[in-house]
Amino acid sequence: MEIRKHVVETDRGVVASQHRQAAEAGAEVLRAGGDAVDAAVACAFVCGVLEPWMSGPAGGGAAMHWRADTGEAHALNFGMQAPAKLRVEDFPLSGEGAASDLFPWERVVEDRNIFGAKAVAVPAMVDGLEAAHKRWGKLPWGELLAPAIAHARRGMGIDWYASLIIAGAARDLARDADAAAMFLDEGQWPRAFSWTNAAEDRIDQGRMADSLDILAREGAAALHGGDLGAAMAADIQGKGGYLTREDLAANRAQFHAPLAVPYRDAQLYAMPGLTAGPTMASAFAHLAAQDLGSVDAAYPAYAKALRAAYAERISSMGDDGESPGAPGCTTHFSVVDRDGNMVSNTQTLLSIFGARMVSESTGLLMNNGIMWFDPEQGKPNSLGAGKRCLMNVCPMLGQADGKRFALGASGGRKIVSAVTQLASFIVDFDMDLPAAFHQPRLDLSGGDQILADAALAPGVIAKLEQIAPVSEVFRSLLPYPFACPAGVLDTGAKRSGATEIMSAWGDAVAEPAGA
């Protein structure tokens, strides 16, 4: 059986998002005459309302921007960092083996680096969106937040997917009274859903709507040094955390020169610094030295290149892998407008539901960015006050043979495997988005093991087994064995958008006619 997903094609703009309603909000902004950056702002905030367990204003991330008028790529980092008053001694190792969440660090007493107020890092997502908007946006900032505010006023509906996600985290959400009140039934039980369309159970996101309204009127300054941020910090301190108003004022988004990655006849651009961009660049450096031949013949080369790139990452950047059963916990969207401007944006709370804790005053779910750090001292990525977090995000841009594309994904360490292969499918084998997104992929985020799509030919699997042990899996709805990508492609005459074919909620939406 082969599963196919429609890929949007248009002569106007496209937004490809992990949540369709967020993509719709972005597409409407394009119809109103907005830039790709304007659409990205609207899409990002709606994602934070309708996928609150993945991302939100209290998180971070990174974005790549392509400006068609200058032919330049820009890297924008709005990652998290450890609070200035964090005390390393508050995170003693328990001696109980590996942690239970995303990364196999040594377990910390009471899982303080995973759950609760001490796990909260300093966010910068709102500042990142505003920084891009100030430079390139066309429409008023407040108008761009209006769709998210409307969704929050109504409250996110509980469908079967939301019910399943909440049920999976119910035990952890019950640790925090405010998270339990928002997401659980009677503060204890997962919310039930109806199999009919009559169900109207909704999350009360009224306080989140109020916070978004403040951000719409006052901008990022309300959170980064203003009263909204002060209220959030007071909530976190009241629950035993370190976050301060001063932390929020200091952690601001930063533009950087992108990593320029020449690859065969193409030019790729990725995030520099403490992201997966350098790992992707390394993988392409290894691939460039090999003749890939046919698509099937390329898979052993992908495995070797990604394996080598991950080894370099572990030795120099401190990312020591993820637990095999780690859940996806990020969102990605890509935008192209009718003028050819592009945005590739990845945002996250890190874990599903972040710290599993809500700031009562703001109604915002908090991140657990402190888990990005290795709690053992003396490592490249050891926990420390004021340190910037090492992210797995990998938004990227590329151009080759008269076409440009923006790609990215959610899925932690799985991200860079997906982005590298998708870009290679487009560059090396001249695939369009439908072909690239339906093509089987590998994942090498699980140590020495190769995770291979079971749709690959037996001969390909046999060659991969000569490199490392192979585990064959079918692409599934839940859980995602591979990353969850979203991308757009511009040939000049046509623009297309696609999302992970197994995602029932992600979709690409074309700019409606009538602009």
Side-chain angles (χ1 to χ4, degrees):
M1 181 181 69
E2 182 183 14
I3 295 176
R4 306 289 298 179
K5 187 174 189 179
H6 175 67
V7 174
V8 170
E9 187 176 83
T10 180
D11 58 359
R12 300 182 295 277
V14 181
V15 183
S17 171
Q18 204 163 291
H19 199 289
R20 180 180 173 84
Q21 287 177 283
E24 290 172 347
E28 286 295 332
V29 166
L30 294 179
R31 178 166 66 171
D35 187 276
V37 166
D38 296 316
V41 172
C43 184
F45 279 106
V46 173
C47 280
V49 174
L50 298 181
E51 278 190 323
W53 44 79
M54 293 290 190
S55 69
M64 293 295 301
H65 291 265
W66 175 262
R67 304 308 300 172
D69 57 348
T70 62
E72 292 180 321
H74 303 264
L76 179 58
N77 189 316
F78 46 94
M80 306 177 212
Q81 70 181 80
K85 294 184 178 179
L86 180 142
R87 295 183 295 271
V88 173
E89 58 269 25
D90 288 346
F91 299 86
L93 302 181
S94 68
E96 298 176 357
S100 60
D101 211 284
L102 291 175
F103 303 104
W105 312 133
E106 286 297 311
R107 191 165 192 172
V108 168
V109 170
E110 299 174 350
D111 288 324
R112 294 173 190 167
N113 58 335
I114 300 175
F115 305 110
K118 285 184 171 59
V120 176
V122 189
M125 180 188 125
V126 177
D127 193 59
L129 295 170
E130 187 184 78
H133 178 262
K134 283 183 175 179
R135 184 172 289 195
W136 299 301
K138 292 182 180 178
L139 302 184
W141 169 262
E143 291 182 12
L144 303 177
L145 273 70
I149 294 170
H151 279 295
R153 291 279 181 228
R154 188 177 182 213
M156 184 194 72
I158 302 296
D159 58 11
W160 73 267
Y161 174 62
S163 181
L164 177 63
I165 295 294
I166 292 170
R171 184 187 298 271
D172 296 331
L173 291 168
R175 297 167 179 252
D176 178 70
D178 296 305
M182 178 178 285
F183 292 104
L184 303 181
D185 188 3
E186 298 181 5
Q188 182 177 6
W189 312 105
R191 291 175 181 263
F193 71 95
S194 172
W195 290 100
T196 71
N197 290 327
E200 275 297 318
D201 185 18
R202 293 185 175 275
I203 298 291
D204 182 357
Q205 295 173 298
R207 287 185 179 173
M208 183 181 193
D210 293 339
S211 294
L212 292 173
D213 185 63
I214 293 171
L215 291 172
R217 288 183 283 108
E218 301 179 18
L223 189 62
H224 293 275
D227 290 342
L228 184 65
M232 175 190 288
D235 289 344
I236 304 311
Q237 291 173 36
K239 295 181 179 185
Y242 313 103
L243 185 68
T244 66
R245 184 175 189 160
E246 292 72 24
D247 287 326
L248 288 162
N251 189 29
R252 310 305 289 263
Q254 298 177 353
F255 280 101
H256 300 279
L259 281 178
V261 185
Y263 178 67
R264 307 195 198 283
D265 294 331
Q267 182 65 56
L268 310 177
Y269 300 96
M271 289 297 306
L274 296 176
T275 71
T279 308
M280 189 200 80
S282 173
F284 275 110
H286 288 284
L287 281 177
Q290 303 185 53
D291 181 5
L292 300 186
S294 67
V295 177
D296 280 356
Y299 286 99
Y302 292 153
K304 292 175 182 177
L306 288 164
R307 198 179 187 198
Y310 278 128
E312 293 168 13
R313 181 178 180 87
I314 291 169
S315 64
S316 62
M317 299 181 76
D319 179 0
D320 199 24
E322 287 183 352
S323 302
C329 49
T330 300
T331 197
H332 179 86
F333 60 84
S334 297
V335 184
V336 58
D337 65 25
R338 62 174 62 195
D339 295 322
N341 301 305
M342 288 184 166
V343 180
S344 179
N345 187 101
T346 311
Q347 57 193 48
T348 186
L349 293 176
L350 187 49
S351 288
I352 289 282
F353 291 96
R356 288 78 159 182
M357 191 191 75
V358 168
S359 160
E360 179 182 10
S361 301
T362 66
L364 299 178
L365 195 61
M366 302 304 299
N367 71 77
N368 64 337
I370 296 304
M371 191 179 60
W372 259 314
F373 296 104
D374 190 332
E376 286 191 83
Q377 293 301 297
K379 301 290 188 69
N381 185 39
S382 293
L383 179 62
K387 291 183 66 175
R388 297 198 68 83
C389 301
L390 172 64
M391 301 185 288
N392 289 307
V393 301
C394 192
M396 63 89 66
L397 304 169
Q399 54 182 344
D401 297 327
K403 56 190 175 186
R404 294 189 177 93
F405 52 91
L407 296 170
S410 63
R413 260 190 103 209
K414 297 179 174 69
I415 292 172
V416 73
S417 288
V419 172
T420 299
Q421 289 168 88
L422 285 168
S424 175
F425 295 156
I426 295 170
V427 172
D428 288 305
F429 303 105
D430 198 29
M431 291 188 189
D432 58 13
L433 278 192
F437 271 68
H438 287 85
Q439 184 69 24
R441 299 195 306 268
L442 308 176
D443 180 74
L444 281 90
S445 62
D448 290 333
Q449 176 179 270
I450 299 172
L451 197 67
D453 191 324
L456 287 168
V460 174
I461 299 296
K463 290 181 179 179
L464 291 172
E465 287 174 336
Q466 297 174 13
I467 299 170
V470 175
S471 177
E472 296 182 60
V473 293
F474 287 99
R475 288 165 86 165
S476 61
L477 184 64
L478 281 175
Y480 293 122
F482 305 101
C484 187
V488 293
L489 187 146
D490 184 2
T491 64
K494 293 289 184 180
R495 295 168 196 93
S496 54
T499 60
E500 167 57 38
I501 64 170
M502 296 306 300
S503 170
W505 306 273
D507 209 351
V509 177
E511 172 190 346

